[in-house]
Amino acid sequence: MLSAQDRAIVKSTVPLLESGGEALITHFYRMMLSEYPEVRPLFNQAHQASGDQPRALANGVLMYARHIDQLDQLGDLVAKIINKHVALQILPEHYPIVGACLLRAISEVLGSEIATPEVMTAWGNAYGQLADILIGAEAAIYQEKAQAPGGWRGARAFSVVKRVEESAEITSFYFAPVDNGPILSAAPGQYIGMKLVLDGEEVRRNYSLSALTDAGQYRISVKREAGGRVSNYLHDQLQVGATIDLFPPAGEFTLADSDKPLVLISGGVGITPTLPMLEAALATERPVHFIHCARNGGVHAFREWVDALAAKHPQLKRFYCYAEDDGVSAAADKVGLLSQEQLAAWLPEQRDVDAYFLGPKGFMAAVKRHLKALGVPEKQSRYEFFGPAAALE
């Protein structure tokens, strides 16, 4: 347990983290990834280049420092970190590397006048406390998943048994275990970890599961990203019959039990986790409003599938919004960006709903504002976002 002196020192560094935390973390990542190649597979280089990963970690470090004496105030942040770690198989031996590089970055960026021996000792103790919390929680989840029906620990070999082009940009991949054994059931909204070796280099990624696991298979639906190393490999080279290593499903952005009307709002490939949520909700007969936004009909995946469900389940209302009309695809219910007025027309009249939304950052920021303005309780407005929540304000 941290001493009162350590906690006070860590909290005193909060103003420095507020103004310079991102620069500090950027230096930390640059140093760690260049000097410790064994941890490179655990980090998405695209997120490094965009700044998303440094911003997310800088926010996490800041929040930890700010609430060092009231860790329960961190809310869902710790659960998000733990689930990301589990999906990528972060192990106890990785923590000393991260800790050493973080302390070194603090020393080198802040300088000796600020990063005094007392500050360095306090932050070393604070990191040790955080590492112990995460390692313990992750160990419990690893054990739980290994002992659950169909569960396993670490990598497990799966075969690609089917691939389907869902739109001009999105392709689905179906995986079945090579050992023909059962698989771990995933909660609607969870993602799965993947380990690949590309050009002799190991890389790891997380992808949302886009279907329920009732059929004994996992399905992911991947958008081809311009310059995306892994997405382009999957689209161009991962064929039926190939073998790939998967880690057990993880993730806290899941469909909660409720009898309130459900609103699912997605943009682009953000539709993927909403699909198993939709399937699960329809089995309970709760009202569902499914709202999807796409650039145009050519890149809109799963439209026919959702339309078929709507024809079968009268409690499902579906609405489509296209940014542009390509003149070829089926018409949308609205052309243009999703405005607050349009969202109001598509929501249930009573705003006591459970809303889940996912998509590009700008889209999510707008939806978050719209839902709040339209009276949807903030605690019932749920989303998954890589980065500080403040970025969506």
Side-chain angles (χ1 to χ4, degrees):
M1 190 171 187
L2 285 181
S3 68
Q5 181 181 4
D6 284 343
R7 291 197 299 272
I9 291 173
V10 168
K11 291 201 74 169
S12 73
T13 64
V14 166
L16 296 171
L17 296 174
E18 289 174 333
S19 61
E22 192 172 329
L24 188 154
I25 296 301
T26 298
H27 179 64
F28 153 78
Y29 272 123
R30 187 181 301 118
M31 177 200 341
M32 182 177 66
L33 297 178
S34 65
E35 298 181 12
Y36 296 91
E38 62 268 35
V39 302
R40 286 179 198 158
L42 307 176
F43 298 91
N44 187 327
Q45 298 306 307
H47 289 163
Q48 292 292 321
S50 69
D52 285 345
Q53 203 147 33
R55 278 190 292 273
L57 182 56
N59 175 70
V61 171
L62 172 61
M63 295 297 290
Y64 179 58
R66 186 178 287 158
H67 300 291
I68 193 71
D69 50 0
Q70 292 179 301
L71 295 182
D72 59 319
Q73 297 299 309
L74 292 175
D76 294 336
L77 178 61
V78 175
K80 290 180 183 292
I81 292 172
I82 290 170
N83 276 278
K84 292 290 185 184
H85 285 187
V86 168
L88 292 171
Q89 296 290 291
I90 303 294
L91 301 174
E93 55 262 35
H94 296 133
Y95 282 89
I97 295 174
V98 173
C101 291
L102 180 61
L103 293 178
R104 187 173 145 198
I106 291 174
S107 176
E108 293 179 358
V109 172
L110 299 184
S112 59
E113 291 188 7
I114 298 175
T116 62
E118 292 78 13
V119 168
M120 298 306 296
T121 297
W123 263 105
N125 292 338
Y127 176 79
Q129 173 183 266
L130 178 61
D132 288 343
I133 292 172
L134 297 179
I135 290 171
E138 289 156 15
I141 295 176
Y142 286 137
Q143 183 176 9
E144 177 186 356
K145 290 182 181 298
Q147 295 177 349
W152 71 96
R153 174 72 187 267
R156 183 178 178 187
F158 281 72
S159 294
V160 181
V161 295
K162 184 180 179 182
R163 54 174 286 163
V164 178
E165 292 187 6
E166 308 288 2
S167 76
E169 296 179 338
I170 296 175
T171 297
S172 289
F173 300 86
Y174 294 72
F175 303 105
V178 172
D179 59 22
N180 295 317
I183 62 172
L184 183 66
S185 179
Q190 286 192 312
Y191 44 80
I192 199 158
M194 173 186 296
K195 182 172 75 171
L196 299 163
V197 177
L198 304 181
D199 301 322
E201 180 184 11
E202 180 186 327
V203 294
R204 301 186 187 187
R205 291 291 188 273
N206 295 330
Y207 286 103
S208 294
L209 292 166
S210 60
L212 295 176
T213 53
D214 298 344
Q217 298 178 354
Y218 294 123
R219 185 183 77 178
I220 62 172
S221 302
V222 181
K223 178 186 175 185
R224 182 193 291 274
E225 300 286 354
R229 186 180 184 189
V230 175
S231 70
N232 280 278
Y233 167 81
L234 296 177
H235 276 253
D236 295 335
Q237 300 186 47
L238 191 66
Q239 303 298 326
V240 172
T243 300
I244 191 170
D245 285 336
L246 298 181
F247 303 128
E252 83 296 332
F253 178 68
T254 57
L255 183 65
D257 291 334
S258 173
D259 57 1
K260 299 180 185 298
L262 174 65
V263 178
L264 299 172
I265 309 172
S266 56
V269 77
I271 194 174
T272 53
T274 70
L275 301 176
M277 290 182 176
L278 175 59
E279 282 190 272
L282 291 178
T284 68
E285 299 299 323
R286 68 189 293 194
V288 181
H289 287 228
F290 187 91
I291 301 168
H292 181 63
C293 301
R295 191 168 68 253
N296 56 54
V299 298
H300 181 180
F302 301 103
R303 174 168 179 158
E304 292 182 359
W305 182 79
V306 174
D307 286 347
L309 288 178
K312 183 179 178 181
H313 298 276
Q315 78 270 30
L316 169 60
K317 300 182 185 299
R318 97 293 176 273
F319 306 96
Y320 305 134
C321 181
Y322 294 164
E324 60 191 28
D325 183 358
D326 62 8
V328 177
S329 308
D333 297 289
K334 174 69 176 179
V335 175
L337 300 181
L338 181 62
S339 66
Q340 180 177 313
E341 293 73 21
Q342 188 60 68
L343 182 58
W346 288 345
L347 286 178
E349 290 186 15
Q350 298 298 321
R351 305 303 197 218
D352 185 19
V353 302
D354 289 324
Y356 295 76
F357 61 96
L358 197 65
K361 177 181 172 180
F363 170 82
M364 292 179 64
V367 170
K368 190 173 188 292
R369 290 194 305 270
H370 296 342
L371 290 174
K372 182 177 180 180
L374 293 172
V376 174
E378 288 195 68
K379 289 186 178 180
Q380 293 164 215
S381 180
R382 303 177 177 93
Y383 56 90
E384 185 169 56
F385 176 61
F386 187 91
L392 294 186
E393 298 296 339

